[in-house]
Amino acid sequence: MADHKLTDAQRAALAAVDWARIDAMTDADIARQIAADPDAPADMSDAPAEALRVIHPPGGVSVRGIRAKLNLSQRAFADRFGFPLGTLRDWEQGRSQPDAATRTLLFVIESDPELVAAVVARHAA
């Protein structure tokens, strides 16, 4: 990481912050401040998976987005849907892309993960 020197104005701004007050803030205090800020986006951390929308790149698929929507680790996603873990990691890290048939399967997983998991489990037995 490159060194970054602070300007005098930045140093003054940091010195003016009441860090003890910030450290003492509770989750309720933070939630209250977020709710009072009309520019703050809605907190979706407790939203059900069906309320979340995955944004896919043009012509591709956001494997990480689908996995995050399902709240699964890489290993759990790979095991549940029959993908090699290394392949899943390669997709998520941009080292490779799923082929057309796999992209279609991933879109079906996004739409109905329980159905796909049941089919994979039935044929893996």
Side-chain angles (χ1 to χ4, degrees):
M1 181 180 229
D3 287 337
H4 179 73
K5 299 201 186 275
L6 297 176
T7 65
D8 290 339
Q10 290 170 325
R11 275 194 290 282
L14 284 172
V17 173
D18 184 353
W19 294 107
R21 182 173 172 229
I22 290 174
D23 289 341
M25 289 180 73
T26 65
D27 288 343
D29 294 332
I30 295 168
R32 215 173 8 262
Q33 287 186 2
I34 291 171
D37 183 353
D39 294 328
D43 179 11
M44 299 294 290
S45 60
D46 293 332
E50 56 273 4
L52 302 177
R53 186 169 152 239
V54 177
I55 306 296
H56 299 286
V61 61
S62 175
V63 179
R64 180 177 290 144
I66 294 170
R67 183 177 60 77
K69 178 179 176 179
L70 299 177
N71 198 28
L72 295 173
S73 67
Q74 285 181 332
R75 181 172 299 285
F77 187 91
D79 290 347
R80 186 172 188 194
F81 299 114
F83 297 115
L85 181 59
T87 301
L88 178 67
R89 287 181 178 150
D90 286 345
W91 292 338
E92 289 193 5
Q93 295 171 9
R95 288 192 291 263
S96 65
Q97 296 296 316
D99 61 28
T102 304
R103 282 194 306 272
T104 300
L105 175 59
L106 288 162
F107 290 132
V108 175
I109 290 170
E110 179 182 9
S111 298
D112 196 343
E114 299 308 319
L115 171 71
V116 177
V119 171
V120 169
R122 189 174 330 123
H123 290 282

